[in-house]
């Protein structure tokens, strides 16, 4: 526990600041949530875990989903350093072996084949990258084809 406290505390601070910025235009008074002395929402971690992805079937991705089925106000995903114990750095390299995150925006966009649907936004993540995910946002961890990837995932609740 003590090994991760600084990282977890930093994630809490960054998430609270991000959440305040994301929701500022919708709630000018911030009356919908409790705030700290800096005006950021008070947040608590509902669940914190580390997940592993390998090229094996059913371990290579976490396909399209929404976190927490309405009980989570937002999430953080931190791409952890590559695994140097299960294979060489080259084998576990992020380069050209898939991975990253995809998000689906609620705005509709016309695809190449002429159909309309939510805009798909793909982020190619690297070790140390952090993603903030608002509640009810469809997203996925994209499939990898080689190596092992690790991610820290935190589900947050904003105190009301």
């Amino acid at each position: 526990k003590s090994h991760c406290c600084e990282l977890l505390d930093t994630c809490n601070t960054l998430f609270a600041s991000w959440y305040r910025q994301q929701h500022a235009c919708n709630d000018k008074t911030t009356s919908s949530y409790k705030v700290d002395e800096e005006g950021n929402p008070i947040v608590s971690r509902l669940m914190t875990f580390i997940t592993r992805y390998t090229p094996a079937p059913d371990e290579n991705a976490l396909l399209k989903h929404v976190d927490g089925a309405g009980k989570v106000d937002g999430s953080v995903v931190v791409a952890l350093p590559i695994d140097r114990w299960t294979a060489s750095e080259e084998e576990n390299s992020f380069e050209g072996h898939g991975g990253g995150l995809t998000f689906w925006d609620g705005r509709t966009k016309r695809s190449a084949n002429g159909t309309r649907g939510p805009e798909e936004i793909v982020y190619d993540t690297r070790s140390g990258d952090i993603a903030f995910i608002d509640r009810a946002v469809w997203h996925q961890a994209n499939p990898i084809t080689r190596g092992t990837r690790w991610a820290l995932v935190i589900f947050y609740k904003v105190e009301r």
Side-chain angles (χ1 to χ4, degrees), residues 45 89 94 117:
R45 292 189 303 271
E89 190 169 339
F94 284 90

Side-chain angles (χ1 to χ4, degrees), residues 93-144:
S93 168
F94 284 90
E95 298 299 324
H97 305 296
L101 298 167
T102 297
F103 295 88
W104 285 268
D105 191 309
R107 294 174 294 192
T108 60
K109 185 176 181 179
R110 188 174 306 279
S111 68
N113 67 8
T115 61
R116 295 186 74 77
E119 183 177 4
E120 188 175 281
I121 304 162
V122 179
Y123 292 97
D124 186 25
T125 57
R126 296 285 181 263
S127 177
D129 286 351
I130 187 168
F132 300 95
I133 306 169
D134 211 350
R135 65 186 321 264
V137 172
W138 287 94
H139 62 283
Q140 76 177 22
N142 298 327
I144 66 168

Side-chain angles (χ1 to χ4, degrees), residues 9-96:
D9 289 344
T10 299
C11 287
N12 294 350
T13 301
L14 291 172
F15 177 81
S17 176
W18 171 85
Y19 188 90
R20 178 183 179 192
Q21 292 171 14
Q22 282 294 109
H23 293 265
C25 63
N26 296 330
D27 187 3
K28 302 269 185 233
T29 65
T30 67
S31 61
S32 68
Y33 54 80
K34 296 178 184 176
V35 297
D36 63 15
E37 59 280 351
E38 296 173 10
N40 288 322
I42 297 171
V43 300
S44 58
R45 292 189 303 271
L46 293 175
M47 185 182 293
T48 303
F49 58 95
I50 294 176
T51 188
R52 178 189 73 164
Y53 298 99
T54 74
D58 299 325
E59 291 184 6
N60 67 339
L62 182 55
L63 298 180
K64 193 174 183 181
H65 66 283
V66 172
D67 292 337
K71 297 179 181 173
V72 171
D73 289 317
S75 307
V76 165
V77 178
V78 180
L80 296 176
I82 61 171
D83 182 350
R84 290 183 172 84
W85 297 274
T86 60
S88 69
E89 190 169 339
E90 181 182 328
E91 173 74 16
N92 282 332
S93 168
F94 284 90
E95 298 299 324

